[in-house]
Amino acid sequence: MQNNQYSPADIETRLYNIWEKNGSFQPNMDLSEKAFSIQLPPPNVTGTLHMGHAFNQTIMDGLTRYHRMKSENVCWIPGSDHAGIATQIVVERQLGEQGISRHDLGRAAFLEKIWAWKAVSGSTITEQMRRVGCSVDWSREYFTMDDTRAAAVTEVFVRLFEQGLIYRGKRLVNWDPVLGTAVSDLEVESIEEQGSMWHIRYPLADNPKEALIVATTRPETMLGDVAVAVHPDDERYAHLIGKQLILPLTGRTIPVIADEYVDKAFGTGCVKITPAHDFNDYEVGKRHQTELINVFDLTAKVLRNAEVFNFSGQQTDSIRLPEAYAGLDRFAARKQLVADLEAGGFLAEVKAHTLMTPKGDRTGSVIEPMLTSQWFVAMTAAPQQNCPHPEPQSEFTGMSLAQKAKHAIDSGQVRFIPENWVNTYNQWMNNIQDWCISRQLWWGHQIPAWYDDNGNIYVARTEAEAQRQAGENIHLRRDEDVLDTWFSSALVPFSTLGWPADTAELRAFLPSNVLVTGYEIIFFWVARMIMMTTHFTGKIPFHDVYIHGMVRDHEGKKMSKSEGNVIDPVDLIDGIDLDKLLIKRTTGLRRPEKAPQVKKATEKLFPEGIPVFGADALRFTMASYASLGRNINFDFKRAEGYRNFCNKLWNAARFVLMNIEGKDCGQDENLPLAFSFVDEWLISRLQQTESAVTQALDTYRFDMAAQTLYEFVWNEYCDWYLELAKVQLQNPDEAAQRATRRTLVRVLEVVLRLLHPIMPFITEELWQHIAPLANAKHSDSIMLATWPQANPAKIVQPSLDKMASLQDLIGAVRNLRGEMGLGMGVKAPLWIEGDAAFDDFLPYLPLMARLSQAHRTDRLPENNDAPVAVCQGARLMLQVEVDKAAETARLTKEAEKLQKAVDKIQTKLGKPGYTDKAPAHLVEKDRAELADLQEKLEKVAAQLQKYAV
């Protein structure tokens, strides 16, 4: 090894380039072998690596490397998502800085700008994945808008339309007035704000002096009210159900209706129903078949003429709205409406109210429920089978998409880990609505639908095909909308494997073994992948769904750039000084006024910047946090401990190499080997460690695998065996030395393989030096080496017990030294009064307990004031000048402790009926423990008596 010190920068990029160049990440495509595959949740092309990515990629790569070492046909497919809204916003902002809008450029030129931006900046996150060590098959990398995926998306859309599962209709959707598009629930943030609750009088039409008081947080939508609802069991209003109310400021009348949606105890118990501008009201209106009155245009300004629709989406009428509000922004209209209500005597009172306001996560604008024409996928309808491309025959055939998604879970074919997420999944599926898949954007998969001048729709794979459907000389225009980003990402389990062709990859890697993802997209992505994959292939997309928690800061707060608590994983890998870190964190904030707060938080958290940790320390930290289903409070100081672990491993390898290179390490199986009980103990513990780590990885318990490996490597191999080996290497018996060298190198070689899935770089670097000396280098890379298999026959229980006794003895001597106040440089002889069983321990004690020598005797020296400790039935004495007062105090304290333990067991055994009713083995255990304690107490008492003379 050239480097005396561990330096991740010297090995990580170099090794990754070698792996990638050698094709080490690619599957062997031997279809006779067991396959293991995994799909990477495609990160946004606009994105950069964050701690959540580092966490789930550590898990995914760990699984991939583990199964590759098990000689399976392993395929981990990488890709990135075109991220429709996010990407379009990035490029539009760049154009805005030049005073240009996308409309100035036109659609074709604007899309050229996006593709150019993607070519320059879009691979940032994939390069960062390389820094983390992700062993994905880059030769199969995809982009959700590349030609292959675009063809699959079009094919899926056309087939779903042919099967009657895609339709166009007018429905209520989340609408972002700034972006001018429908958005998904995932793109809406609910922000707690302080607002008002306006209590408005709705007079009875037949008796205007009497009124119902309606409370609302959105008075501007009252222009679209179609009813006031009360609970059918509310006695206060039972006599008014069916009567007409005057809608203030409009002159319209609306009915009082009864619906159980109303909470009698909230507010006045009267709720205004505005189906075109509230999702709950939409459902109430649908039950009562009211009209839907849309009062806003797509920029959220009040219309001059409100549009009236029925629930079939057909416009049936229009209503002239009061001139005072026409053209006003919704919030300006609110202000004017409230003033007019007050002037007209309709405003009963205004109360402060805390409410959750839905806002677009990209623009911060208030989301408006808007009645618009969109494309939808039917979730609960059965597919038509008499069509050109019916669904394949399988157990899922004939089910609706929602039924398919439910059946895959209910039948146990797809399981959630932890399983409690099934409840969340089922809750969503039981309340599922048709999926709005159209977006009013330019960047994305343009919907393959064309319209003639009469509004007839032609869905086709190409414009030529649409023209054939319409007939010659029929003018067609293509739908300008694009598909929801989740539509194309729902197809990745099979679109990335060559579908619709019947490929070897589809046969080998579908279904994949596991999907690793966050809980927030269970419905948006996980459920939809199950729907689409079962529908188009007849197979489930994956067997296991491993749901991990959110990575938060060390105080449990959500990581946010504006809070200054975001940690860039690459900064942890490479390190960064404080000045550069401050510039990085305060530049480009959405809210520049937050810069001082971010600066202060950064200086507090990283007063000297971030030191170099390396990818392996970061990955081991993430693995150690991977408890099933829990959020992760990431403390970078924990990473410091695992960076020290890397140093420990590096130094251990250097020690081994210095002691075995050029020497006989037992490669020749014909030469004799004399294994000590210490060697057998380590080999036994290695078998147990192999078994525990394998079990942990098989059950996705990376935290347990990391803990097991850490304890074995740091405590048992480094702190114990390496020190004991120093003694054994001085043994004049060559067979004993050979056994020790063989144990040193072979256990280390196995440890490196066990660690490799979590810590790929340092293990590869060390393995290249260690493996040839351990007769284990059967491949060019550790990632292709065989996964260790535990051999129970190598577990020697007597050696495990004997090592436990040695550790206990060494601990007792160290405690004795501490109690006597002996400094590290003070060495004293140790006398052991015990039987011959202690002779095997004597060679190790001087080094491990800092003694000048160790002797066993049948009787301790007489007339000696040295303190005595009791361990393993033996009396231990360090022969040094004794402070009688201090030693008397120590022994008195020890005697009191022993007496309390004796009293406790005697009380237990003395309880009436205990010895008769308790299991015999427990009673026997208590009696044996009591006898041992009493023996120790007698020896301590004898020592005290000696000092009292």
Side-chain angles (χ1 to χ4, degrees):
M1 291 170 59
Q2 295 180 345
N3 294 345
N4 290 335
Q5 292 185 333
Y6 168 60
S7 175
D10 293 337
I11 64 173
E12 292 180 354
T13 301
R14 169 173 56 83
L15 288 176
Y16 195 92
N17 290 339
I18 292 172
W19 291 331
E20 191 171 352
K21 180 181 178 181
N22 291 343
S24 301
F25 305 151
Q26 297 176 11
N28 58 41
M29 292 310 296
D30 183 347
L31 300 189
S32 66
E33 289 186 355
K34 182 180 179 180
F36 178 85
S37 60
I38 192 167
Q39 286 282 352
L40 173 80
N44 288 352
V45 70
T46 59
T48 57
L49 201 69
H50 57 63
M51 295 300 282
H53 290 130
F55 179 74
N56 67 28
Q57 288 172 16
T58 293
I59 303 302
M60 286 185 280
D61 191 52
L63 290 169
T64 299
R65 291 178 182 271
Y66 168 57
H67 285 275
R68 189 182 289 121
M69 294 176 75
K70 294 175 74 174
S71 300
E72 297 176 11
N73 182 23
V74 173
C75 186
W76 184 16
I77 299 177
S80 53
D81 192 281
H82 63 278
I85 291 176
T87 304
Q88 181 161 319
I89 286 176
V90 168
V91 178
E92 282 199 81
R93 284 175 178 166
Q94 292 176 350
L95 292 174
E97 292 172 359
Q98 305 170 36
I100 304 173
S101 73
R102 62 182 165 113
H103 300 285
D104 295 331
L105 288 177
R107 184 166 188 151
F110 177 70
L111 292 180
E112 285 182 7
K113 289 283 187 183
I114 294 185
W115 279 108
W117 174 87
K118 189 263 179 186
V120 174
S121 304
S123 61
T124 299
I125 200 164
T126 59
E127 290 306 312
Q128 291 175 322
M129 285 175 62
R130 289 174 164 88
R131 297 304 318 281
V132 175
C134 295
S135 59
V136 295
D137 182 1
W138 293 110
S139 69
R140 300 174 189 272
E141 183 180 5
Y142 69 89
F143 178 52
T144 53
M145 276 188 59
D146 61 30
D147 291 342
T148 303
R149 259 45 62 180
V153 166
T154 298
E155 186 66 28
V156 165
F157 188 97
V158 172
R159 291 192 188 187
L160 288 174
F161 182 80
E162 292 173 346
Q163 295 166 7
L165 296 182
I166 279 185
Y167 65 92
R168 185 168 175 80
K170 189 175 286 289
R171 294 275 298 276
L172 206 60
V173 297
N174 293 316
W175 185 264
D176 188 319
V178 174
L179 286 176
T181 181
V183 294
S184 72
D185 289 344
L186 195 63
E187 293 154 332
V188 178
E189 295 179 324
S190 292
I191 309 297
E192 184 178 286
E193 293 184 337
Q194 298 304 311
S196 298
M197 181 76 77
W198 287 273
H199 292 248
I200 304 169
R201 292 187 177 91
Y202 283 52
L204 270 66
D206 59 2
N207 182 12
K209 291 183 179 180
E210 186 180 349
L212 286 183
I213 306 297
V214 175
T216 180
T217 60
R218 304 189 66 210
E220 67 276 12
T221 64
M222 66 180 293
L223 298 172
D225 285 359
V226 299
V228 168
V230 297
H231 195 279
D233 298 333
D234 194 332
E235 296 177 357
R236 294 173 296 176
Y237 307 117
H239 65 290
L240 298 177
I241 295 172
K243 287 185 174 291
Q244 294 289 312
L245 302 174
I246 298 172
L247 181 62
L249 306 179
T250 68
R252 286 197 293 120
T253 60
I254 57 176
V256 178
I257 62 175
D259 196 280
E260 291 185 349
Y261 160 70
V262 180
D263 181 355
K264 293 188 293 183
F266 182 78
T268 62
C270 302
V271 179
K272 61 190 285 298
I273 303 301
T274 319
H277 295 286
D278 184 276
F279 289 103
N280 292 319
D281 291 3
Y282 181 89
E283 296 302 323
V284 174
K286 190 174 182 180
R287 285 195 289 274
H288 294 269
Q289 284 299 297
T290 67
E291 296 176 322
L292 298 99
I293 303 176
N294 178 44
V295 300
F296 298 135
D297 66 15
L298 296 181
T299 63
K301 290 183 174 64
V302 178
L303 292 165
R304 187 171 300 277
N305 293 298
E307 302 163 329
V308 182
F309 297 91
N310 60 27
F311 278 89
S312 296
Q314 299 171 321
Q315 185 169 351
T316 59
D317 200 357
S318 63
I319 297 175
R320 187 79 172 179
L321 296 179
E323 195 68 27
Y325 314 120
L328 290 181
D329 174 79
R330 55 188 162 163
F331 298 115
R334 173 187 294 180
K335 186 176 181 180
Q336 185 64 51
L337 266 162
V338 170
D340 292 347
L341 288 169
E342 186 171 22
F346 297 108
L347 190 62
E349 64 176 323
V350 182
K351 292 183 178 180
H353 181 71
T354 301
L355 69 160
M356 301 301 293
T357 302
K359 293 189 175 182
D361 66 345
R362 302 290 178 184
T363 62
S365 62
V366 176
I367 296 298
E368 185 65 47
M370 192 76 77
L371 200 62
T372 60
S373 294
Q374 304 285 348
W375 288 91
F376 293 89
V377 177
M379 292 287 102
T380 56
Q384 298 175 13
Q385 300 298 322
N386 57 338
C387 56
H389 295 90
E391 58 179 325
Q393 290 298 309
S394 73
E395 64 181 283
F396 297 97
T397 303
M399 296 180 182
S400 70
L401 291 174
Q403 287 171 332
K404 289 176 166 73
K406 280 276 290 174
H407 179 67
I409 302 296
D410 294 343
S411 64
Q413 295 178 68
V414 178
R415 64 172 187 155
F416 279 94
I417 301 165
E419 64 181 358
N420 61 286
W421 287 109
V422 170
N423 299 328
T424 301
Y425 181 89
N426 286 335
Q427 184 178 6
W428 277 324
M429 297 308 300
N430 291 336
N431 295 282
I432 198 167
Q433 301 291 324
D434 287 355
W435 174 15
C436 176
I437 57 172
S438 49
R439 298 291 182 266
Q440 289 64 54
L441 304 169
W442 285 358
W443 173 245
H445 293 279
Q446 193 169 354
I447 289 174
W450 286 261
Y451 304 88
D452 63 20
D453 293 339
N454 294 322
N456 296 311
I457 301 175
Y458 306 92
V459 171
R461 293 165 181 81
T462 64
E463 185 172 1
E465 184 181 321
Q467 193 70 62
R468 286 194 295 272
Q469 292 179 24
E472 295 183 12
N473 303 320
I474 300 295
H475 175 261
L476 297 179
R477 61 179 179 83
R478 187 168 183 176
D479 195 313
E480 293 188 350
D481 287 356
V482 300
L483 288 166
D484 177 13
T485 296
W486 295 105
F487 189 90
S488 52
S489 62
L491 314 184
V492 296
F494 55 96
S495 69
T496 57
L497 298 174
W499 185 91
D502 181 18
T503 64
E505 285 80 2
L506 267 173
R507 293 194 297 274
F509 303 125
L510 187 72
S512 63
N513 296 74
V514 60
L515 175 73
V516 181
T517 189
Y519 60 83
E520 70 277 8
I521 56 174
I522 289 176
F523 175 71
F524 291 94
W525 192 44
V526 177
R528 289 167 180 171
M529 283 192 289
I530 297 175
M531 292 176 188
M532 292 298 191
T533 307
T534 54
H535 186 74
F536 285 100
T537 71
K539 298 180 180 180
I540 57 173
F542 29 70
H543 291 290
D544 292 344
V545 182
Y546 173 87
I547 300 294
H548 60 75
M550 180 181 291
V551 182
R552 299 178 178 272
D553 73 5
H554 66 289
E555 294 179 343
K557 298 176 183 176
K558 183 178 179 180
M559 288 191 177
S560 165
K561 289 182 180 179
S562 62
E563 295 298 321
N565 61 352
V566 166
I567 302 175
D568 184 334
V570 177
D571 288 342
L572 286 172
I573 293 171
D574 291 340
I576 185 171
D577 64 44
L578 181 59
D579 290 340
K580 291 180 181 178
L581 185 61
L582 287 172
I583 293 172
K584 182 176 181 178
R585 287 186 161 208
T586 56
T587 302
L589 290 174
R590 287 187 184 178
R591 297 173 60 187
E593 69 275 11
K594 285 274 193 176
Q597 176 182 325
V598 171
K599 181 175 183 292
K600 184 176 180 181
T602 302
E603 290 173 336
K604 180 181 178 181
L605 192 58
F606 304 108
E608 298 179 0
I610 300 177
V612 175
F613 289 102
D616 288 319
L618 174 63
R619 288 169 62 112
F620 204 90
T621 305
M622 291 302 187
S624 73
Y625 276 125
S627 298
L628 294 182
R630 295 182 182 177
N631 283 337
I632 297 139
N633 295 348
F634 185 88
D635 188 345
F636 82 97
K637 292 183 178 179
R638 188 164 179 175
E640 290 180 352
Y642 295 127
R643 181 186 58 191
N644 294 339
F645 180 64
C646 291
N647 289 330
K648 189 89 166 179
L649 183 64
W650 187 272
N651 292 332
R654 288 186 63 241
F655 171 84
V656 171
L657 290 172
M658 284 189 296
N659 283 278
I660 68 170
E661 283 185 308
K663 298 179 182 179
D664 185 356
C665 301
Q667 290 97 330
D668 188 343
E669 300 289 344
N670 295 317
L671 293 176
L673 295 164
F675 290 101
S676 70
F677 75 90
V678 175
D679 300 326
E680 291 175 343
W681 160 76
L682 186 70
I683 294 168
S684 298
R685 284 293 299 121
L686 178 64
Q687 310 313 308
Q688 295 170 336
T689 300
E690 289 171 351
S691 179
V693 173
T694 299
Q695 172 69 15
L697 294 181
D698 283 342
T699 55
Y700 308 111
R701 291 303 304 267
F702 276 76
D703 56 331
M704 298 301 296
Q707 179 183 344
T708 299
L709 287 166
Y710 182 91
E711 291 177 353
F712 180 79
V713 173
W714 190 292
N715 297 332
E716 296 177 309
Y717 186 76
C718 293
D719 283 359
W720 280 102
Y721 187 76
L722 292 190
E723 295 302 314
L724 297 171
K726 293 175 183 177
V727 177
Q728 297 188 161
L729 290 173
Q730 303 303 314
N731 192 322
D733 183 354
E734 181 58 33
Q737 286 192 30
R738 187 182 300 116
T740 297
R741 287 192 289 265
R742 175 176 166 134
T743 304
L744 276 169
V745 69
R746 293 202 175 190
V747 171
L748 178 58
E749 189 276 331
V750 173
V751 161
L752 294 174
R753 282 187 279 148
L754 290 171
L755 281 167
H756 179 73
I758 301 176
M759 303 171 71
F761 294 108
I762 190 172
T763 53
E764 177 75 273
E765 183 73 5
L766 296 178
W767 189 82
Q768 294 295 335
H769 296 279
I770 295 295
L773 300 172
N775 276 5
K777 191 171 184 182
H778 302 303
S779 59
D780 292 331
S781 169
I782 190 174
M783 74 166 62
L784 302 176
T786 304
W787 180 254
Q789 296 290 325
N791 183 354
K794 292 184 177 181
I795 298 176
V796 182
Q797 190 59 49
S799 294
L800 287 169
D801 296 338
K802 197 168 184 178
M803 183 62 188
S805 296
L806 174 59
Q807 291 173 318
D808 193 20
L809 182 62
I810 291 170
V813 178
R814 289 173 175 173
N815 288 338
L816 193 57
R817 288 181 58 94
E819 291 169 2
M820 295 175 65
L822 298 184
M824 292 295 291
V826 177
K827 293 185 178 181
L830 174 72
W831 292 89
I832 302 176
E833 181 183 288
D835 58 33
F838 288 90
D839 289 346
D840 289 344
F841 300 157
L842 298 180
Y844 303 105
L845 293 175
L847 176 65
M848 300 302 291
R850 304 191 66 80
L851 305 172
S852 59
Q853 50 191 312
H855 307 280
R856 184 182 67 83
T857 180
D858 293 333
R859 188 174 182 84
L860 291 180
E862 297 290 342
N863 302 320
N864 195 307
D865 291 334
V868 173
V870 178
C871 178
Q872 299 289 325
R875 299 173 68 217
L876 314 177
M877 184 184 75
L878 283 172
Q879 196 168 5
V880 293
E881 188 175 338
V882 176
D883 181 336
K884 288 188 176 182
E887 186 61 12
T888 298
R890 182 188 75 82
L891 290 169
T892 300
K893 187 176 180 180
E894 178 68 13
E896 291 172 351
K897 179 180 176 183
L898 289 168
Q899 187 61 57
K900 285 182 180 179
V902 167
D903 293 343
K904 183 177 179 181
I905 295 180
Q906 286 179 333
T907 300
K908 182 178 180 182
L909 290 170
K911 286 183 179 179
Y914 173 74
T915 56
D916 296 327
K917 296 178 182 178
H921 71 281
L922 292 181
V923 174
E924 186 59 33
K925 181 182 176 183
D926 289 337
R927 286 173 173 164
E929 186 177 352
L930 177 61
D932 182 60
L933 288 169
Q934 288 174 329
E935 182 182 357
K936 289 181 180 179
L937 185 57
E938 288 174 3
K939 290 179 179 179
V940 170
Q943 190 69 14
L944 276 170
Q945 181 65 32
K946 185 174 70 170
Y947 287 139
V949 176

